[in-house]
Amino acid sequence: MRKCFTCLTILLVFPYLSWLHAQEIKPVDSTAKAVDTAVGSSFRFFTNASFITVIGQLSLRATEEAMAEKVNPVVLYDQYFTEFAREHHISPEQVRTLMNSWVQGNMVKEDDANAMLQGARHFYLKQYHTSSLYYEQAVWQQDEARSVPGAIQTEEAEALYPAYILAGNSSIASGDYKRAIRMYRQADSLLLLPAATERTYAAIYKKKNYLYTLLAATLVEAGSQLGGKAGYNLLTEATLVEKTLLANYKTATLVQEWAKTQSQLGTILHLQGDMAADATSDSLYMLSIDAYNDALTVYTQKDFPADWARMQLNLGVVLSKLGAIKEAIASFRSALGILTSAKNPRDWASTAYHLGNMLQCQAGKAKDPEATELFTESIKAYKQALEVYTNKTTPEEWGWTQHNLGVSLFEQGRRLGERDLLTQAAAAFRQALTIQTKDCFPAAWASTQYNLGTALWEESSRAAGGNVALLADAVTAYESALAYYTHKDQPEQWFNVQNGLGLLYEQQKEWAAAIQHFENIRDMEPMYAAQKVNELRRKAGR
């Protein structure tokens, strides 16, 4: 009986933009137009400039948190208003009332000439592209209003810089990474001030470092989404930005920033390795490992345990892609020795998931009793990950964890001859299929359908006298997989399904259907197919 499970997909689940840190944004416009509200005496005379500042801070949070954690914007706004309310000793409802009152006020809506004001207003209304256009217009307005024509002075550049940052943030919120990159580069062009004083240089480099962190993160997001050569080139640009940051952080007072940047560089090189051809991939993965190890010279287990554990997680993922399975397992176990589901749920779940994958791979190469022990550990690791992953909050991660749990349960059940484990495997595959639908994840859907069919088939062989219902369900799952697998595009998977169907129909003595499936694979395995067809014709003629 020829059965073959498809290869497991190893997910890389760690956010990139979570490394960003908020920097205060001061409003370009300081026009004092009071907004009378009834939410408290301290807010009765809030100016437009005050609201621009508040929404500018919200913009930064949206850039740094929403993209990193995939937080729903409504939830993010509520979180921000709650923090703001606590700081100013009012209720979150009062903050929202205040903001809505300002946004809907005629004085604000009709002041179209104030681009900074309109940029903030449209950001609050989640009209992000329009917000970005207004913020860019604010730069032009300030530039035209400069008292001294010609070269931009330090103070004037500092006034123009925030508008470009906010324009870039709004573009990120709208999903327009290309425009965001252009806005950030425009902001950078304003900070090239060779005549600046020593004091100004310090302030400028602080702004530059923050800006470069935003720019690198946006280049990574854009490159990852774009893929291909163009995406790879954007990641290369991101590595250059990170190396500039590393040069800027080479001081004794900025060692944590330097370590963080090394970590970010390691992740970019890792992503490039995923995109590159095989020969180049390994060299990029090795460079990624070097960067993570450099970060570990600062992120020691004693001083920065959580960061140390994250580096172990990242190292483990890269090592797994280099085929260093034992070393990857050691890294994941080290990370789990520090991380907890309560304090570090995302990292803890991701580490448990990846550990489960590597234990499964190692078990596949081992012999009993070691293989059985490794599959047991793999099952345990996946179940730990499922304590955090849910089908609602992290559906894709949950779906893949269910799928890979099903594989380990199947292998363990097959080895031990325990039908209960095979039943659990089929249940896990069915759970995965609630997320891995044909429309959303066609390749994963087909793989899981095939694995479900194989698990059901194996379970039927363990049932007393066989089980017709299980065999019928196995046929249905295999035939579903053929809706995606084709002879041209996925020849190996297509062959396995066709062969499996032939054997299943043979087991059910449906000779004509079995013969047809073996005829389908005649061009790929002519001798094997011919032998099976002749054998089935003899059986059918009895």
Side-chain angles (χ1 to χ4, degrees):
M1 187 178 294
R2 184 171 181 171
K3 302 180 185 179
C4 181
F5 269 79
T6 53
C7 295
L8 304 184
T9 299
I10 298 176
L11 300 180
L12 177 61
V13 187
F14 50 91
Y16 187 87
L17 283 173
S18 59
W19 291 308
L20 306 184
H21 289 273
Q23 174 173 312
E24 183 180 1
I25 290 288
K26 297 180 179 179
V28 172
D29 180 82
S30 59
T31 306
K33 295 182 179 178
V35 178
D36 189 11
T37 72
V39 298
S41 58
S42 62
F43 289 88
R44 188 169 294 279
F45 298 104
F46 235 37
T47 66
N48 285 344
S50 303
F51 284 103
I52 291 169
T53 301
V54 170
I55 292 179
Q57 294 293 337
L58 180 58
S59 166
L60 291 175
R61 290 284 294 275
T63 303
E64 297 162 9
E65 295 181 23
M67 288 187 64
E69 305 292 340
K70 309 301 182 188
V71 177
N72 183 291
V74 175
V75 175
L76 181 66
Y77 280 32
D78 287 343
Q79 290 175 351
Y80 182 80
F81 289 152
T82 299
E83 294 170 11
F84 187 87
R86 187 182 302 116
E87 181 180 349
H88 293 279
H89 308 291
I90 60 174
S91 71
E93 292 74 18
Q94 287 176 316
V95 176
R96 187 171 290 280
T97 298
L98 176 70
M99 301 298 287
N100 289 339
S101 163
W102 172 72
V103 166
Q104 299 301 331
N106 289 332
M107 185 169 57
V108 173
K109 288 195 290 186
E110 295 171 3
D111 191 2
D112 196 60
N114 188 335
M116 199 70 178
L117 178 65
Q118 294 305 320
R121 177 175 177 270
H122 284 282
F123 186 91
Y124 179 78
L125 294 171
K126 301 184 180 67
Q127 298 166 355
Y128 299 120
H129 179 68
T130 304
S131 170
S132 180
L133 294 175
Y134 270 116
Y135 279 133
E136 185 179 19
Q137 184 180 331
V139 180
W140 304 337
Q141 288 180 349
Q142 292 292 315
D143 196 25
E144 292 172 358
R146 283 192 292 117
S147 57
V148 180
I152 299 177
Q153 302 300 308
T154 301
E155 294 77 9
E156 292 168 337
E158 289 181 348
L160 298 177
Y161 162 88
Y164 273 133
I165 293 292
L166 293 171
N169 293 354
S170 296
S171 294
I172 285 177
S174 72
D176 190 348
Y177 295 109
K178 184 177 180 180
R179 176 177 170 79
I181 291 167
R182 182 165 64 85
M183 292 297 101
Y184 293 146
R185 284 176 172 155
Q186 289 281 19
D188 185 37
S189 70
L190 294 174
L191 300 178
L192 300 174
L193 303 171
T197 64
E198 184 175 347
R199 179 196 65 79
T200 306
Y201 261 128
I204 287 174
Y205 272 104
K206 185 177 181 180
K207 287 183 170 67
K208 271 186 171 290
N209 291 341
Y210 176 74
L211 171 61
Y212 289 163
T213 304
L214 281 174
L215 177 58
T218 309
L219 285 165
V220 170
E221 290 291 331
S224 299
Q225 288 195 11
L226 188 59
K229 184 177 181 181
Y232 183 90
N233 290 339
L234 287 175
L235 294 180
T236 299
E237 291 184 51
T239 64
L240 297 176
V241 174
E242 297 292 1
K243 288 176 181 178
T244 300
L245 279 169
L246 287 173
N248 291 349
Y249 287 144
K250 279 189 175 179
T251 67
T253 58
L254 297 173
V255 290
Q256 290 186 53
E257 288 82 356
W258 179 86
K260 187 180 300 180
T261 305
Q262 287 286 6
S263 171
Q264 293 167 191
L265 177 60
T267 298
I268 299 169
L269 291 165
H270 180 174
L271 293 172
Q272 279 194 294
D274 291 344
M275 288 187 185
D278 290 342
T280 310
S281 288
D282 285 358
S283 61
L284 287 165
Y285 289 147
M286 293 303 299
L287 290 172
S288 174
I289 288 173
D290 289 342
Y292 289 140
N293 282 328
D294 285 341
L296 284 170
T297 62
V298 175
Y299 290 151
T300 63
Q301 184 175 356
K302 178 182 177 182
D303 296 330
F304 303 97
D307 293 311
W308 179 87
R310 291 187 189 100
M311 292 307 97
Q312 296 297 332
L313 165 58
N314 291 353
L315 279 169
V317 175
V318 181
L319 286 165
S320 69
K321 293 183 179 181
L322 287 168
I325 296 175
K326 290 184 178 180
E327 292 82 355
I329 289 172
S331 289
F332 294 139
R333 282 178 168 154
S334 294
L336 286 176
I338 300 295
L339 300 171
T340 67
S341 58
K343 293 183 178 179
N344 325 93
R346 289 171 62 89
D347 290 331
W348 184 82
S350 179
T351 307
Y353 170 81
H354 284 98
L355 175 61
N357 285 348
M358 290 301 98
L359 290 166
Q360 186 184 98
C361 289
Q362 186 72 1
K365 298 178 179 181
K367 296 180 180 179
D368 285 329
E370 181 188 5
T372 299
E373 293 175 1
L374 289 168
F375 277 124
T376 299
E377 289 185 67
S378 174
I379 291 166
K380 179 182 177 182
Y382 289 135
K383 288 181 177 179
Q384 285 179 324
L386 289 171
E387 292 175 17
V388 174
Y389 292 151
T390 71
N391 58 351
K392 293 184 178 179
T393 59
T394 49
E396 191 170 352
E397 291 89 341
W398 181 85
W400 272 113
T401 306
Q402 290 285 0
H403 173 275
N404 292 359
L405 171 62
V407 174
S408 287
L409 286 165
F410 168 83
E411 290 293 346
Q412 191 77 310
R414 183 178 62 81
R415 285 171 176 271
L416 300 178
E418 294 186 12
R419 182 181 176 184
D420 180 60
L421 291 174
L422 297 170
T423 302
Q424 292 178 45
F429 290 135
R430 286 193 169 108
Q431 290 277 49
L433 286 170
T434 64
I435 300 299
Q436 296 172 342
T437 63
K438 183 181 178 183
D439 291 337
C440 296
F441 304 99
W445 174 82
S447 171
T448 307
Q449 289 285 4
Y450 175 70
N451 289 348
L452 172 61
T454 305
L456 292 166
W457 187 3
E458 187 71 28
E459 184 184 357
S460 75
S461 69
R462 307 290 175 180
N467 190 306
V468 175
L470 289 171
L471 287 175
D473 287 345
V475 169
T476 299
Y478 274 9
E479 288 179 341
S480 295
L482 285 178
Y484 176 79
Y485 292 142
T486 66
H487 185 288
K488 178 181 177 182
D489 296 328
Q490 300 89 14
E492 182 179 352
Q493 292 91 334
W494 180 86
F495 175 91
N496 287 335
V497 178
Q498 292 284 358
N499 182 64
L501 283 168
L503 294 170
L504 276 166
Y505 280 123
E506 178 184 5
Q507 190 171 339
Q508 297 176 84
K509 298 182 179 181
E510 296 187 27
W511 312 120
I515 288 170
Q516 182 59 57
H517 284 289
F518 288 120
E519 288 287 6
N520 290 343
I521 62 174
R522 188 183 283 269
D523 65 325
M524 297 183 71
E525 291 281 353
M527 291 183 65
Y528 168 74
Q531 179 183 353
K532 290 300 298 181
V533 167
N534 290 334
E535 177 186 332
L536 290 169
R537 283 174 177 165
R538 286 195 299 272
K539 290 180 178 180
R542 290 176 183 172

